[in-house]
Amino acid sequence: MSFKESNVYECSVSELPQISNRAGNITPLTSNEEIPFDIKRVYYLYDVPGGESRGGHAHRDLHQLIVAASGSFDVVLDDGRIKKTVSLNRPNYGLYIKPGIWRDLTNFSSGSVLLVLASLPYFESDYIRDYREFIDLKLKYTR
Ligand code: TYD
């Protein structure tokens, strides 16, 4: 049920732990502690040309936490009714995204690294890549 019911207000940025050392910081992340799900997959996106955009899809069941491990970018969230833009630019902040949220990634700074902690392995069948289909699934047959 969470696909249809999720909304952009439930996708929020939280501060992650930061252990400060003499030379640098460490952010440790553990399933079901700082991360509100079991982490099944980690991936990172890099070498995106500065100013570029990516994304343009929603997930049926996947929960994600997105971190700007380096540099900055914006995440435009859309639940079919409301859009919200979140800027990520520090490695000790993470954006939690529920299933059923369309996301576009924009304004990458050059050299940025987008780190994703995901609740499921990669399944192409979990993606919705067509915006009309997303809107139909999200908004049709709602009481
Ligand atoms: P995708 O998530 O579609 O990125 P974007 O929506 O930003 O273009 O991923 C691009 C390609 O990478 C896609 O063909 C599938 C592949 N891929 C994997 O094989 N495993 C993964 O975990 C991810 C995230 C992508």
Side-chain angles (χ1 to χ4, degrees):
M1 288 309 287
S2 81
F3 178 90
K4 279 183 90 92
E5 290 160 6
S6 59
N7 65 63
V8 295
Y9 301 115
E10 297 171 314
C11 301
S12 53
V13 175
S14 56
E15 190 171 357
L16 304 171
Q18 186 175 56
I19 301 166
S20 297
N21 288 118
R22 187 172 46 82
N25 301 312
I26 296 174
T27 293
L29 301 173
T30 306
S31 292
N32 301 306
E33 291 186 23
E34 300 82 11
I35 310 302
F37 50 79
D38 264 338
I39 301 165
K40 295 280 168 56
R41 177 170 51 121
V42 174
Y43 65 90
Y44 39 99
L45 177 64
Y46 52 98
D47 288 349
V48 179
E52 261 305 342
S53 299
R54 283 187 72 101
H57 63 252
H59 290 280
R60 297 174 197 275
D61 296 314
L62 187 76
H63 297 248
Q64 291 181 316
L65 188 99
I66 297 187
V67 176
S70 185
S72 63
F73 47 82
D74 295 337
V75 185
V76 184
L77 302 170
D78 178 354
D79 60 21
R81 293 187 168 87
I82 292 163
K83 288 190 187 192
K84 178 172 103 168
T85 300
V86 174
S87 297
L88 292 176
N89 51 28
R90 287 291 303 154
N92 64 322
Y93 285 84
L95 169 65
Y96 171 53
I97 307 183
K98 285 193 152 192
I101 304 289
W102 188 269
R103 89 287 314 271
D104 291 296
L105 305 168
T106 62
N107 286 330
F108 282 89
S109 67
S110 79
S112 57
V113 179
L114 181 153
L115 174 68
V116 179
L117 310 180
S119 67
L120 293 171
Y122 174 78
F123 298 127
E124 182 56 35
S125 57
D126 187 67
Y127 280 73
I128 299 163
R129 296 186 183 275
D130 181 84
Y131 188 72
R132 287 293 350 148
E133 183 189 356
F134 168 71
I135 292 296
D136 283 353
L137 288 168
K138 196 74 181 165
L139 301 183
K140 267 194 184 161
Y141 314 120
T142 42
R143 273 181 270 156

